[in-house]
């Protein structure tokens, strides 16, 4: 029945509004009422992640409200007149007959779909349980890269590499990542060294599309409650107005008669019309004229002039202008989106400068500490614990400290506990971390394993974990000791006039020196 669908939609809308209001009251801890720019600097990664999870849940509720409202409006409009017929049948017909027809329809539906679940609206939008919170946090973790820091910073490293690999930059000065963060939305000279004709290349258009998609995706991920579709529509409207007025920077209509001729002075240099390049000195310009690149460019320009002289009814000009408009529109959108995220841009620059002053070990520890700040998502209600003990959330299987809690992840990496070092002498026992591995050579387990191999002098067998190496070294030591004993037994002893006993070689050396 349409009336029942209408009632159910109204109930669903009310529950969605209540759920969104409850989520808005779930501020992350220690957020308070601080303004957004200041609060973002005071929040920890865990609080930022919780706030994003809350905002994305609210955005999902708003989408459901919009969808259900659209369905409800369609029922109220009643273009086919089905609702009016239903009301007329309930008013003028037999109420019991209508009721029995509905009962029969419901029974028929459940006989055809016996396993159809019944939606419980009371539990559909209730306050999040720890399990739901786990799913929300996992979704936020998969939404951002480690460099983005849960939406605080840009991750433009891939786009920086793509920018440097553009064919137009093969012989140009390469920008560092910090310089790129300042200039990635600048498309006009002198900061941008890409000429207007080079911007119509396929590689440059692919780069602009990737940069635009990333910036818009980053804004949608970090600001789920803002009406970004309306904002992007305003950007498109502004571009159309600027393009019609010929006010888009770097894409103004050019008059061929006003273009600089070959050898004409332009600014502080000399312009080459064929190569479309500016030279600072006249001597450099004259040397350039006899080069192969210049001659090839002159030939190509002459061929292009000949082809353009043919009657084309203006079609190629319109085609080139439409292509320029597509490139200019992407550049305009990138400038606008980047201008709307100046806070994230400045924070990214500060973060990159800070990381450049850190050692690799400090960067690794900071990244590990970021991911180790995982909220305790296990149930914390002591009354629900059968054994009365608190559950410990330890997904990384970290060792426990003296208090029974997992040690911090940075300490786990600092001691190298993730590295497994086996020892064959100890019966293939695996030691975790270099510190534990070095200590075990003086422990009873390793000493007992050496004695089982017949090795008594254990001090010379440090860092040896293979049974074969230990046995070969022990045989060599025994052979060397036996050789020394044999040599000592075969030594000829001499006695001087004072009764001192010494080897024959020492005696003859002293005698030759006149000391006897």
């Amino acid at each position: 029945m349409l009336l029942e669908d209408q009632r159910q939609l109204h109930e669903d809308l009310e529950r969605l509004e209540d759920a969104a209001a409850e989520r808005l009251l779930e501020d992350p801890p220690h957020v308070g009422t601080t303004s957004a720019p200041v609060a973002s600097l005071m929040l920890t990664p865990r609080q930022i992640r919780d706030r994003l999870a809350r905002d994305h849940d609210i955005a999902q509720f708003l989408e459901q409200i919009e969808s259900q409202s659209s369905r409800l409006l369609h029922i109220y409009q009643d273009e086919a007149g089905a609702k009016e017929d239903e009301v007329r049948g309930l008013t003028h017909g037999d109420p019991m007959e209508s009721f029995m027809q509905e009962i029969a329809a419901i029974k028929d539906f459940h006989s055809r779909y016996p396993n159809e679940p019944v939606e419980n609206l009371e539990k559909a939008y209730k306050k999040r349980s720890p399990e739901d919170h786990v799913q929300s946090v996992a979704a936020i973790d998969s939404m951002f890269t480690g460099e983005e820091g849960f939406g605080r910073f840009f991750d433009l490293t891939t786009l920086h590499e793509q920018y440097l690999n553009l064919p137009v930059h093969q012989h140009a000065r390469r920008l560092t990542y910090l310089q790129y963060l300042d200039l990635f939305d600048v498309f006009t000279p002198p900061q941008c060294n890409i000429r207007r004709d080079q911007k119509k290349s396929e590689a440059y258009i692919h780069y602009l599309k990737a940069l635009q998609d990333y910036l818009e995706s980053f804004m949608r991920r970090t600001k789920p409650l803002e009406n970004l579709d309306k904002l992007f529509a305003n950007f498109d409207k502004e571009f159309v107005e600027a393009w019609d007025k010929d006010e888009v920077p770097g894409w103004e209509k050019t008059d061929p008669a006003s273009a600089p001729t070959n050898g004409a002075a332009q600014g502080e240099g000399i312009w080459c019309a064929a190569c479309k390049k500016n030279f600072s000195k006249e001597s450099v310009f004259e040397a350039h004229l006899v080069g192969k690149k210049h001659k090839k460019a002159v030939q190509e320009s002459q061929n292009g002039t000949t082809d353009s002289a043919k009657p084309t009814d203006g079609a190629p000009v319109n085609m080139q202008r439409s292509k320029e408009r597509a490139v200019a529109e992407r550049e305009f959108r990138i400038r606008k989106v980047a201008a709307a995220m100046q806070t994230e841009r400045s924070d990214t620059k500060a973060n990159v400068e800070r990381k450049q002053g850190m050692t690799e070990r400090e960067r690794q520890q900071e990244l590990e500490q970021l991911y180790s700040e995982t909220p305790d998502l296990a149930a914390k209600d002591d009354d629900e614990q059968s054994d009365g003990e608190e559950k410990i959330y330890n997904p990384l299987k970290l060792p426990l400290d003296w208090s029974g809690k997992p040690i911090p992840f940075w300490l786990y990496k600092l001691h190298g506990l993730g590295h497994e070092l086996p020892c064959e002498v100890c019966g293939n026992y695996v030691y975790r971390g270099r510190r534990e591995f070095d200590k075990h050579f003086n422990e009873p387990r390793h000493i007992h394993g050496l004695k089982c191999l017949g090795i008594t002098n254990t001090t010379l067998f440090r860092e040896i974990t293979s049974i074969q190496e230990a046995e070969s070294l022990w045989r060599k030591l025994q052979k060397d000791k036996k050789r020394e004993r044999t040599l000592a037994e075969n030594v000829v002893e001499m006695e001087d006039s004072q009764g001192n006993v010494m080897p024959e070689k020492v005696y003859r050396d002293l005698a030759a020196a006149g000391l006897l």
Side-chain angles (χ1 to χ4, degrees), residues 146-147 362-372:
E147 190 69 22
E362 291 173 341
R363 295 193 199 100
Q364 187 69 18
Q365 289 180 359
E366 180 179 294
L367 185 62
E368 291 160 355
Q369 186 176 5
L370 174 66
Y371 281 101
S372 66

Side-chain angles (χ1 to χ4, degrees), residues 439-465:
K439 286 174 58 179
H440 97 280
F441 291 105
N442 296 327
E443 293 177 352
R445 186 199 303 268
H446 189 78
I447 295 175
H448 175 72
L450 292 176
K451 289 183 177 179
C452 292
L453 299 176
I455 301 173
T456 56
N457 188 3
T458 61
T459 57
L460 301 176
F461 288 79
R462 290 188 65 87
E463 301 295 331
I464 295 180
T465 58

